[in-house]
Amino acid sequence: DPKIIQKPKYLVAVTGSEKILICEQYLGHNAMYWYRQSAKKPLEFMFSYSYQKLMDNQTASSRFQPQSSKKNHLDLQITALKPDDSATYFCASSQDLGGRYEQYFGPGTRLTVL
Amino acid sequence: GQQVQQSPASLVLQEGENAELQCNFSTSLNSMQWFYQRPGGSLVSLFYNPSGTKHSGRLTSTTVIKERRSSLHISSSQTTDSGTYLCALDWGTGYQNFYFGKGTSLTVIP
């Protein structure tokens, strides 16, 4: 059974629209993260959450807003979508925040903005 | 600034050959992790190895902090090993912000 679920797997949106990417983890972890992978670029850290609190934000744009309704949920709302937002978005989790905890990744949501 | 470099960028092997992938980093790190990214995009953790040597089947990871490098050795490669291998480093400057290298793209041909 998948331990980290991301929905949807694929998403096509038009420029200017708004979308929400869903992430749920069933590993009992306390920390969750979002990463982005654009074409031909390294995976890029976006946000980290611990016990549903935002701990770090490396995303310059306020159009990206993480939302945590439960400890094991961390959704990503993206507003005013642009073609440059096209990427695969990965959710990850770890037992707790801190470099000594191994990270586990979800399967990703591939977003295409037309 | 903090940098991570992976080499080679790409590698083609005949099935059965061994591979040595390198990850070099610019400053001392807090932790590091090796991942395998399938052609379809999903990531699989291979090793959490901030220091020393770890083994898992045909894979061996060795991290030498003072030399600022980590290596991933794949022995007796198989076609199913094809994909991208990523190293991710945490310098301890944020809340476990893993910084990823660009990866090594491995193709194993039969």
Side-chain angles (χ1 to χ4, degrees):
Chain A
D1 291 334
K3 302 299 184 183
I4 301 181
I5 296 172
Q6 288 190 245
K7 293 184 284 190
K9 186 173 182 179
Y10 301 101
L11 187 56
V12 180
V14 295
T15 297
S17 66
E18 172 183 315
K19 293 294 180 185
I20 295 180
L21 281 55
I22 305 295
C23 177
E24 306 170 11
Q25 56 93 3
Y26 296 94
L27 293 163
H29 288 168
N30 299 314
M32 295 184 72
Y33 316 83
W34 277 103
Y35 289 83
R36 172 172 54 193
Q37 187 174 37
S38 304
K40 299 184 180 180
K41 289 186 180 179
L43 266 159
E44 175 189 18
F45 169 83
M46 300 179 73
F47 301 99
S48 63
Y49 264 68
S50 178
Y51 292 93
Q52 293 183 264
K53 291 184 180 179
L54 178 66
M55 303 305 292
D56 199 359
N57 177 0
Q58 296 291 329
T59 302
S61 174
S62 60
R63 296 186 298 107
F64 294 84
Q65 291 293 328
Q67 300 170 343
S68 181
S69 60
K70 300 180 188 177
K71 185 179 135 182
N72 69 325
H73 282 231
L74 185 64
D75 300 336
L76 181 63
Q77 180 185 38
I78 314 174
T79 59
L81 279 161
K82 303 176 179 180
D84 280 351
D85 298 331
S86 298
T88 299
Y89 291 81
F90 289 97
C91 174
S93 70
S94 61
Q95 182 60 52
D96 277 301
L97 216 53
R100 63 186 178 276
Y101 298 105
E102 186 173 356
Q103 286 200 4
Y104 297 82
F105 279 71
T109 291
R110 184 174 296 181
L111 171 65
T112 302
V113 183
L114 304 175
Chain B
Q2 298 150 338
Q3 293 182 5
V4 52
Q5 289 186 326
Q6 289 191 247
S7 61
S10 63
L11 184 61
V12 180
L13 295 176
Q14 199 76 35
E15 195 169 26
E17 292 182 325
N18 299 332
E20 185 87 6
L21 282 55
Q22 296 291 337
C23 178
N24 294 283
F25 36 94
S26 58
T27 60
S28 184
L29 54 79
N30 191 44
S31 68
M32 70 89 59
Q33 199 166 343
W34 279 98
F35 290 91
Y36 166 68
Q37 187 165 29
R38 297 188 176 103
S42 60
L43 285 109
V44 176
S45 176
L46 297 175
F47 291 103
Y48 176 75
N49 187 13
S51 66
T53 298
K54 291 192 174 183
H55 301 278
S56 177
R58 296 182 293 106
L59 304 179
T60 300
S61 170
T62 299
T63 299
V64 184
I65 297 293
K66 62 181 180 181
E67 295 180 10
R68 297 182 183 173
R69 64 173 178 84
S70 181
S71 64
L72 179 66
H73 183 83
I74 305 172
S75 62
S76 303
S77 62
Q78 301 174 0
T79 55
T80 51
D81 295 331
S82 297
T84 301
Y85 292 81
L86 301 166
C87 68
L89 282 69
D90 168 38
W91 278 282
T93 57
Y95 291 99
Q96 197 176 9
N97 304 338
F98 272 112
Y99 292 87
F100 282 81
K102 292 183 179 180
T104 293
S105 175
L106 175 65
T107 302
V108 181
I109 55 178

